[in-house]
Amino acid sequence: MTSQYYVPPTSKWPIIAVIVVGCTALGAGSLMTYGSGLPFLLIGLAGIAFVMYGWFRDVINESMGGLYDMQMDRSFRQGMGWFIFSEVMFFAAFFGALFYIRVFALPWLDGEGAKGVTALLWPDFTASWPLMNTPDPSIGGPDAVINPWTLPLINTILLVTSSVTLTIAHHALKEGNRAKLKNWLIGTIALGLVFLVIQGIEYVEAWTQLGLTLQSGIYGSTFFLLTGFHGLHVTIGAIVLIVLLFRVMKGHFTADNHFAFEAGAWYWHFVDVVWIGLFLFVYVF
Amino acid sequence: MTPETTQSVSQHSVSDVASGHDAHAHGHAPTGLMRWLLTTNHKEIGTLYMLFSLLMLFIGGTMALVIRAELFQPGLQYVQPEFFNQMTTMHGLIMVFGAIMPAFVGLANWMIPLQVGAPDMALPRLNNFSFWLLPVAFTTLLATLFMEGGGPNFGWTFYAPLSTTYAPPSTNFFILSIHLAGISSILGAINIIATILNLRTPGMRLMDMSLFVWTWLITAFLLIAVMPVLAGVVTMMLLDINFGTSFFDAAGGGDPVLFQHLFWFFGHPEVYIMILPAFGIVSLIVPAFARKRLFGYASMVYATASIAILSFVVWAHHMFTVGLPLTAELFFMYSTMLIAVPTGVKVFNWIATLFRGSISFETPMLFSLGFIVMFTIGGLSGVMLAIVPADFQYHDTYFVVAHFHYVLVPGALFAIMAAAYYWMPKWTGHYANETLGKWHFWLSVIGVNLTFFPMHFSGLAGMPRRIPDYALQFADFNMLSSIGGFLFGFSQLIFVWVVIKAVRGGVKAPAKAWEGAEGLEWAVPSPAPLHTFDTPPEFVPERDSPSRHSDH
């Protein structure tokens, strides 16, 4: 065992990251609690963007400089894999909440089951899904919900297609075909961005025309919670893909050494799979 | 991971990489405060985690003493009920997220790379980020005490709607501090798993690892699985409070019980996150001072994994009185009782290891033996609480308080203390003072039992938890608990003294500080130099390892 381990040198980025994340939390907290603190929030968010730029730039430079060995590569892979697992569990909590509400809580409020005494709270309440009439009428349900076979179907096709195009780009990278890689990656990003635009249109329609808002009872709550956090993840994934595109154009990645590309692709496929769950259980059924 | 893939570690660690490592890591080391702010060294970060945890132990402990002072006699003595509620809440939050968890993460940081023969954690910069998030998170949490309306006052379990509709305005900051601590835990756990799976020295198979490493591998998995669920549930609280959603409000079709399901889906595995590494520590110390190999290494590993898997299907035993369907109550009662089986395997294992051993009673061993006895008391009261009709009587009484304090204080905390005394020679180069250590142990044992044993009786007699005043018939038990609480609290100052003394001097320790101890950490000098294992160390299977026996 004569070979030496690689240990990355000290970096100033982690502690700067802590400062800007703390600044973001402080800003968000005081904005919600006291109605002021927006500057802190914005500085914090800009700081997070700056840190991610600087930290990743250092890591990319070290990687391009040939400092990393196979062991470091495996650490990155395992780190990304477990990070995505943690994201899966984050969404699992929200899906679990959705199923609990639909399968247990609402029927019980309607008087079903041996513990149906909660039906005494609002005797006129009738459970349904989507829940158009909330138990307490003062909260008020939505007037209508999104038809899954219009914009959501288009979005499903877009996102599933984008997973396919990204895979084609990945194969192009492994074949060393840079032009094909670049074009299919651009196509993937375009599909992701169109998805986000359509999601935006759908949100405006829901909010202004259908009366479907965060405040319209549990249907609106779960709808915006699940689609909103998914949209946030598509946004993050699209930014990752755009960064990867810039790196491709600068000539980064080789046919057999391109972990960052793979990590971005894993993340994109994960976001895609979550959408299929959303399409089925939030929109269709 | 198979032995073949671990072997490949050395093949790929080419030498041109090593030259880059030398140029950077040992070039210009920052000094003073910057050294600690920028450090990516697992030993320094481990030390920071443990010092932070010790500080939090005293802050949370002071809050416990406020509670015990108020409960010394019936009637309102020193604090108002509103403040009392903030003390019970903050005491729980700080001890769970600020003291116990960071202490175990600190031990993991220090010892896992040493025990697997790694040069550092797998992702050292991420490690720095994970630690320094904690002071920010807990400064935010503590700051809520000084905000208008006071800090969190809804219990450490923060049930909705107490924590949403009826919560103080500072709750937003509480939620954000939970988010920060959660991010810290998830990233720390990712780092630990990557270190264990990827950085073991060539030849060390999974079943050759020390049990502390094994239990942490499983604990890290639990952390990654359930901390995001906690993040999800506090996010839903945030939306209910600030954006008018109805997740935990039945008026809009939501359900407050949904909060409890989500919270305890996190909360029960969280309980094992705080005890599994303790099992690992005791499984190292008992064989070392009994001078015998652990009775059953493999069964210990399988028992740990079984407990972790079961922890995902028992959560509703915290909610028996909330109005669950009968089938759910039966399912969660029996699944909970099943946990007694792997836990029993562990206790049997430790006792069988002691049987006919050549035992000596140094301080780490005393704390470990105390752990075995008193953790078992907490485990048995847990089985009592698992019985649904009995739990209807015990729920939300001091019996529950007695139960979880027995598993967390003479359980988790005693194991942390045992670990600190056990590895003190490796950290400081000096043995902890044995006389002071024994005083610390015996005063702690007396204090902890005087505090928590009478709570079984006051609880069975019907005293509810989280109240600042109580009926007269509970007065004697409460006075005993308060005296014990102050004894236990002030005894911990001895530990601070022990640490300071060991850092400054004392009996010098050789590389292998305990004659019966085994593990790669004893192959490096005491104190361990800042950088260890620049190259993969030669691995000899340990006494407890099955491969040792197949080799001979």
PDB file of all heavy atoms in Angstrom, chain B residues 74-97:
ATOM      1  N   PRO B  74     -45.278  22.248  44.925  1.00  0.00           N
ATOM      2  CA  PRO B  74     -46.512  22.604  44.221  1.00  0.00           C
ATOM      3  C   PRO B  74     -46.720  24.121  44.253  1.00  0.00           C
ATOM      4  O   PRO B  74     -46.139  24.815  45.087  1.00  0.00           O
ATOM      5  CB  PRO B  74     -47.607  21.901  45.004  1.00  0.00           C
ATOM      6  CG  PRO B  74     -46.939  21.005  45.973  1.00  0.00           C
ATOM      7  CD  PRO B  74     -45.539  21.481  46.147  1.00  0.00           C
ATOM      8  N   GLY B  75     -47.533  24.604  43.337  1.00  0.00           N
ATOM      9  CA  GLY B  75     -47.774  26.042  43.261  1.00  0.00           C
ATOM     10  C   GLY B  75     -46.767  26.688  42.330  1.00  0.00           C
ATOM     11  O   GLY B  75     -45.742  26.099  41.996  1.00  0.00           O
ATOM     12  N   LEU B  76     -47.055  27.914  41.899  1.00  0.00           N
ATOM     13  CA  LEU B  76     -46.124  28.617  41.026  1.00  0.00           C
ATOM     14  C   LEU B  76     -45.049  29.293  41.866  1.00  0.00           C
ATOM     15  O   LEU B  76     -45.358  30.082  42.753  1.00  0.00           O
ATOM     16  CB  LEU B  76     -46.866  29.665  40.179  1.00  0.00           C
ATOM     17  CG  LEU B  76     -47.792  29.105  39.093  1.00  0.00           C
ATOM     18  CD1 LEU B  76     -48.398  30.232  38.282  1.00  0.00           C
ATOM     19  CD2 LEU B  76     -47.056  28.128  38.189  1.00  0.00           C
ATOM     20  N   GLN B  77     -43.770  28.958  41.605  1.00  0.00           N
ATOM     21  CA  GLN B  77     -42.681  29.470  42.436  1.00  0.00           C
ATOM     22  C   GLN B  77     -41.888  30.582  41.757  1.00  0.00           C
ATOM     23  O   GLN B  77     -41.771  31.670  42.274  1.00  0.00           O
ATOM     24  CB  GLN B  77     -41.694  28.348  42.788  1.00  0.00           C
ATOM     25  CG  GLN B  77     -42.335  27.048  43.199  1.00  0.00           C
ATOM     26  CD  GLN B  77     -43.032  27.133  44.527  1.00  0.00           C
ATOM     27  OE1 GLN B  77     -42.629  27.910  45.388  1.00  0.00           O
ATOM     28  NE2 GLN B  77     -44.090  26.360  44.697  1.00  0.00           N
ATOM     29  N   TYR B  78     -41.285  30.251  40.618  1.00  0.00           N
ATOM     30  CA  TYR B  78     -40.287  31.152  40.040  1.00  0.00           C
ATOM     31  C   TYR B  78     -40.680  31.706  38.677  1.00  0.00           C
ATOM     32  O   TYR B  78     -40.329  32.817  38.343  1.00  0.00           O
ATOM     33  CB  TYR B  78     -38.937  30.428  39.896  1.00  0.00           C
ATOM     34  CG  TYR B  78     -38.448  29.843  41.187  1.00  0.00           C
ATOM     35  CD1 TYR B  78     -38.506  28.478  41.429  1.00  0.00           C
ATOM     36  CD2 TYR B  78     -37.943  30.679  42.196  1.00  0.00           C
ATOM     37  CE1 TYR B  78     -38.066  27.943  42.620  1.00  0.00           C
ATOM     38  CE2 TYR B  78     -37.499  30.149  43.395  1.00  0.00           C
ATOM     39  CZ  TYR B  78     -37.567  28.779  43.611  1.00  0.00           C
ATOM     40  OH  TYR B  78     -37.132  28.248  44.789  1.00  0.00           O
ATOM     41  N   VAL B  79     -41.340  30.883  37.857  1.00  0.00           N
ATOM     42  CA  VAL B  79     -41.613  31.328  36.484  1.00  0.00           C
ATOM     43  C   VAL B  79     -43.101  31.243  36.180  1.00  0.00           C
ATOM     44  O   VAL B  79     -43.848  30.523  36.842  1.00  0.00           O
ATOM     45  CB  VAL B  79     -40.826  30.473  35.449  1.00  0.00           C
ATOM     46  CG1 VAL B  79     -39.340  30.688  35.604  1.00  0.00           C
ATOM     47  CG2 VAL B  79     -41.197  29.008  35.559  1.00  0.00           C
ATOM     48  N   GLN B  80     -43.503  31.999  35.167  1.00  0.00           N
ATOM     49  CA  GLN B  80     -44.887  31.981  34.714  1.00  0.00           C
ATOM     50  C   GLN B  80     -45.105  30.768  33.803  1.00  0.00           C
ATOM     51  O   GLN B  80     -44.175  30.300  33.152  1.00  0.00           O
ATOM     52  CB  GLN B  80     -45.199  33.272  33.940  1.00  0.00           C
ATOM     53  CG  GLN B  80     -45.200  34.517  34.819  1.00  0.00           C
ATOM     54  CD  GLN B  80     -46.188  34.386  35.972  1.00  0.00           C
ATOM     55  OE1 GLN B  80     -47.364  34.103  35.764  1.00  0.00           O
ATOM     56  NE2 GLN B  80     -45.701  34.559  37.198  1.00  0.00           N
ATOM     57  N   PRO B  81     -46.356  30.267  33.758  1.00  0.00           N
ATOM     58  CA  PRO B  81     -46.634  29.087  32.914  1.00  0.00           C
ATOM     59  C   PRO B  81     -46.173  29.272  31.473  1.00  0.00           C
ATOM     60  O   PRO B  81     -45.654  28.328  30.869  1.00  0.00           O
ATOM     61  CB  PRO B  81     -48.157  28.964  32.992  1.00  0.00           C
ATOM     62  CG  PRO B  81     -48.518  29.565  34.297  1.00  0.00           C
ATOM     63  CD  PRO B  81     -47.538  30.668  34.543  1.00  0.00           C
ATOM     64  N   GLU B  82     -46.352  30.476  30.901  1.00  0.00           N
ATOM     65  CA  GLU B  82     -45.931  30.718  29.526  1.00  0.00           C
ATOM     66  C   GLU B  82     -44.428  30.428  29.351  1.00  0.00           C
ATOM     67  O   GLU B  82     -44.020  29.778  28.398  1.00  0.00           O
ATOM     68  CB  GLU B  82     -46.189  32.202  29.169  1.00  0.00           C
ATOM     69  CG  GLU B  82     -47.367  32.414  28.259  1.00  0.00           C
ATOM     70  CD  GLU B  82     -47.248  31.620  26.979  1.00  0.00           C
ATOM     71  OE1 GLU B  82     -46.239  31.796  26.286  1.00  0.00           O
ATOM     72  OE2 GLU B  82     -48.151  30.819  26.690  1.00  0.00           O
ATOM     73  N   PHE B  83     -43.645  30.943  30.296  1.00  0.00           N
ATOM     74  CA  PHE B  83     -42.194  30.740  30.205  1.00  0.00           C
ATOM     75  C   PHE B  83     -41.839  29.288  30.482  1.00  0.00           C
ATOM     76  O   PHE B  83     -40.936  28.722  29.858  1.00  0.00           O
ATOM     77  CB  PHE B  83     -41.470  31.675  31.173  1.00  0.00           C
ATOM     78  CG  PHE B  83     -39.973  31.648  31.004  1.00  0.00           C
ATOM     79  CD1 PHE B  83     -39.381  32.201  29.875  1.00  0.00           C
ATOM     80  CD2 PHE B  83     -39.157  31.044  31.952  1.00  0.00           C
ATOM     81  CE1 PHE B  83     -38.005  32.160  29.697  1.00  0.00           C
ATOM     82  CE2 PHE B  83     -37.773  31.007  31.786  1.00  0.00           C
ATOM     83  CZ  PHE B  83     -37.207  31.572  30.652  1.00  0.00           C
ATOM     84  N   PHE B  84     -42.581  28.666  31.407  1.00  0.00           N
ATOM     85  CA  PHE B  84     -42.352  27.255  31.707  1.00  0.00           C
ATOM     86  C   PHE B  84     -42.517  26.416  30.434  1.00  0.00           C
ATOM     87  O   PHE B  84     -41.705  25.541  30.134  1.00  0.00           O
ATOM     88  CB  PHE B  84     -43.343  26.790  32.780  1.00  0.00           C
ATOM     89  CG  PHE B  84     -43.128  25.377  33.235  1.00  0.00           C
ATOM     90  CD1 PHE B  84     -42.274  25.100  34.289  1.00  0.00           C
ATOM     91  CD2 PHE B  84     -43.775  24.324  32.605  1.00  0.00           C
ATOM     92  CE1 PHE B  84     -42.071  23.792  34.709  1.00  0.00           C
ATOM     93  CE2 PHE B  84     -43.577  23.018  33.016  1.00  0.00           C
ATOM     94  CZ  PHE B  84     -42.722  22.753  34.074  1.00  0.00           C
ATOM     95  N   ASN B  85     -43.571  26.727  29.649  1.00  0.00           N
ATOM     96  CA  ASN B  85     -43.788  25.993  28.400  1.00  0.00           C
ATOM     97  C   ASN B  85     -42.624  26.185  27.431  1.00  0.00           C
ATOM     98  O   ASN B  85     -42.235  25.259  26.721  1.00  0.00           O
ATOM     99  CB  ASN B  85     -45.081  26.463  27.733  1.00  0.00           C
ATOM    100  CG  ASN B  85     -46.306  25.957  28.467  1.00  0.00           C
ATOM    101  OD1 ASN B  85     -46.210  25.004  29.244  1.00  0.00           O
ATOM    102  ND2 ASN B  85     -47.436  26.591  28.246  1.00  0.00           N
ATOM    103  N   GLN B  86     -42.090  27.404  27.391  1.00  0.00           N
ATOM    104  CA  GLN B  86     -40.933  27.640  26.517  1.00  0.00           C
ATOM    105  C   GLN B  86     -39.725  26.831  26.987  1.00  0.00           C
ATOM    106  O   GLN B  86     -38.947  26.339  26.173  1.00  0.00           O
ATOM    107  CB  GLN B  86     -40.590  29.136  26.488  1.00  0.00           C
ATOM    108  CG  GLN B  86     -41.665  29.985  25.843  1.00  0.00           C
ATOM    109  CD  GLN B  86     -41.359  31.464  25.949  1.00  0.00           C
ATOM    110  OE1 GLN B  86     -40.215  31.887  25.869  1.00  0.00           O
ATOM    111  NE2 GLN B  86     -42.388  32.264  26.143  1.00  0.00           N
ATOM    112  N   MET B  87     -39.596  26.690  28.308  1.00  0.00           N
ATOM    113  CA  MET B  87     -38.462  25.928  28.839  1.00  0.00           C
ATOM    114  C   MET B  87     -38.586  24.440  28.490  1.00  0.00           C
ATOM    115  O   MET B  87     -37.618  23.821  28.051  1.00  0.00           O
ATOM    116  CB  MET B  87     -38.385  26.092  30.366  1.00  0.00           C
ATOM    117  CG  MET B  87     -37.867  27.452  30.818  1.00  0.00           C
ATOM    118  SD  MET B  87     -36.137  27.742  30.391  1.00  0.00           S
ATOM    119  CE  MET B  87     -36.321  28.803  28.964  1.00  0.00           C
ATOM    120  N   THR B  88     -39.769  23.846  28.663  1.00  0.00           N
ATOM    121  CA  THR B  88     -39.910  22.421  28.326  1.00  0.00           C
ATOM    122  C   THR B  88     -39.655  22.207  26.833  1.00  0.00           C
ATOM    123  O   THR B  88     -38.985  21.249  26.430  1.00  0.00           O
ATOM    124  CB  THR B  88     -41.309  21.882  28.685  1.00  0.00           C
ATOM    125  OG1 THR B  88     -42.295  22.711  28.074  1.00  0.00           O
ATOM    126  CG2 THR B  88     -41.530  21.851  30.174  1.00  0.00           C
ATOM    127  N   THR B  89     -40.164  23.124  26.010  1.00  0.00           N
ATOM    128  CA  THR B  89     -39.996  22.997  24.562  1.00  0.00           C
ATOM    129  C   THR B  89     -38.532  23.117  24.167  1.00  0.00           C
ATOM    130  O   THR B  89     -37.979  22.256  23.468  1.00  0.00           O
ATOM    131  CB  THR B  89     -40.813  24.086  23.852  1.00  0.00           C
ATOM    132  OG1 THR B  89     -42.156  24.011  24.300  1.00  0.00           O
ATOM    133  CG2 THR B  89     -40.756  23.915  22.346  1.00  0.00           C
ATOM    134  N   MET B  90     -37.909  24.192  24.620  1.00  0.00           N
ATOM    135  CA  MET B  90     -36.529  24.456  24.216  1.00  0.00           C
ATOM    136  C   MET B  90     -35.572  23.412  24.800  1.00  0.00           C
ATOM    137  O   MET B  90     -34.600  23.026  24.151  1.00  0.00           O
ATOM    138  CB  MET B  90     -36.104  25.854  24.659  1.00  0.00           C
ATOM    139  CG  MET B  90     -36.807  26.942  23.903  1.00  0.00           C
ATOM    140  SD  MET B  90     -36.290  26.980  22.180  1.00  0.00           S
ATOM    141  CE  MET B  90     -35.299  28.421  22.198  1.00  0.00           C
ATOM    142  N   HIS B  91     -35.838  22.971  26.031  1.00  0.00           N
ATOM    143  CA  HIS B  91     -35.004  21.918  26.620  1.00  0.00           C
ATOM    144  C   HIS B  91     -34.989  20.693  25.705  1.00  0.00           C
ATOM    145  O   HIS B  91     -33.929  20.161  25.371  1.00  0.00           O
ATOM    146  CB  HIS B  91     -35.524  21.536  28.008  1.00  0.00           C
ATOM    147  CG  HIS B  91     -34.978  20.240  28.525  1.00  0.00           C
ATOM    148  ND1 HIS B  91     -33.671  20.090  28.931  1.00  0.00           N
ATOM    149  CD2 HIS B  91     -35.560  19.024  28.678  1.00  0.00           C
ATOM    150  CE1 HIS B  91     -33.474  18.837  29.319  1.00  0.00           C
ATOM    151  NE2 HIS B  91     -34.601  18.165  29.165  1.00  0.00           N
ATOM    152  N   GLY B  92     -36.170  20.277  25.259  1.00  0.00           N
ATOM    153  CA  GLY B  92     -36.250  19.102  24.399  1.00  0.00           C
ATOM    154  C   GLY B  92     -35.559  19.317  23.070  1.00  0.00           C
ATOM    155  O   GLY B  92     -34.755  18.503  22.623  1.00  0.00           O
ATOM    156  N   LEU B  93     -35.860  20.443  22.423  1.00  0.00           N
ATOM    157  CA  LEU B  93     -35.275  20.709  21.099  1.00  0.00           C
ATOM    158  C   LEU B  93     -33.758  20.777  21.175  1.00  0.00           C
ATOM    159  O   LEU B  93     -33.050  20.227  20.323  1.00  0.00           O
ATOM    160  CB  LEU B  93     -35.818  22.029  20.544  1.00  0.00           C
ATOM    161  CG  LEU B  93     -37.290  22.033  20.124  1.00  0.00           C
ATOM    162  CD1 LEU B  93     -37.750  23.463  19.860  1.00  0.00           C
ATOM    163  CD2 LEU B  93     -37.496  21.177  18.884  1.00  0.00           C
ATOM    164  N   ILE B  94     -33.257  21.477  22.192  1.00  0.00           N
ATOM    165  CA  ILE B  94     -31.808  21.674  22.280  1.00  0.00           C
ATOM    166  C   ILE B  94     -31.101  20.375  22.621  1.00  0.00           C
ATOM    167  O   ILE B  94     -30.061  20.046  22.048  1.00  0.00           O
ATOM    168  CB  ILE B  94     -31.496  22.790  23.290  1.00  0.00           C
ATOM    169  CG1 ILE B  94     -31.864  24.119  22.648  1.00  0.00           C
ATOM    170  CG2 ILE B  94     -30.034  22.766  23.717  1.00  0.00           C
ATOM    171  CD1 ILE B  94     -31.681  25.299  23.529  1.00  0.00           C
ATOM    172  N   MET B  95     -31.667  19.592  23.533  1.00  0.00           N
ATOM    173  CA  MET B  95     -31.013  18.334  23.885  1.00  0.00           C
ATOM    174  C   MET B  95     -31.012  17.361  22.708  1.00  0.00           C
ATOM    175  O   MET B  95     -30.007  16.701  22.440  1.00  0.00           O
ATOM    176  CB  MET B  95     -31.705  17.697  25.090  1.00  0.00           C
ATOM    177  CG  MET B  95     -31.446  18.427  26.383  1.00  0.00           C
ATOM    178  SD  MET B  95     -29.675  18.633  26.714  1.00  0.00           S
ATOM    179  CE  MET B  95     -29.672  18.930  28.460  1.00  0.00           C
ATOM    180  N   VAL B  96     -32.143  17.272  21.982  1.00  0.00           N
ATOM    181  CA  VAL B  96     -32.225  16.322  20.871  1.00  0.00           C
ATOM    182  C   VAL B  96     -31.351  16.767  19.703  1.00  0.00           C
ATOM    183  O   VAL B  96     -30.483  16.029  19.234  1.00  0.00           O
ATOM    184  CB  VAL B  96     -33.694  16.155  20.415  1.00  0.00           C
ATOM    185  CG1 VAL B  96     -33.763  15.401  19.089  1.00  0.00           C
ATOM    186  CG2 VAL B  96     -34.495  15.417  21.478  1.00  0.00           C
ATOM    187  N   PHE B  97     -31.599  17.993  19.210  1.00  0.00           N
ATOM    188  CA  PHE B  97     -30.938  18.424  17.978  1.00  0.00           C
ATOM    189  C   PHE B  97     -29.593  19.106  18.240  1.00  0.00           C
ATOM    190  O   PHE B  97     -28.768  19.196  17.337  1.00  0.00           O
ATOM    191  CB  PHE B  97     -31.845  19.387  17.197  1.00  0.00           C
ATOM    192  CG  PHE B  97     -33.110  18.743  16.706  1.00  0.00           C
ATOM    193  CD1 PHE B  97     -34.325  19.009  17.318  1.00  0.00           C
ATOM    194  CD2 PHE B  97     -33.089  17.861  15.648  1.00  0.00           C
ATOM    195  CE1 PHE B  97     -35.493  18.414  16.874  1.00  0.00           C
ATOM    196  CE2 PHE B  97     -34.245  17.257  15.192  1.00  0.00           C
ATOM    197  CZ  PHE B  97     -35.453  17.538  15.811  1.00  0.00           C
TER     198      PHE B  97
END
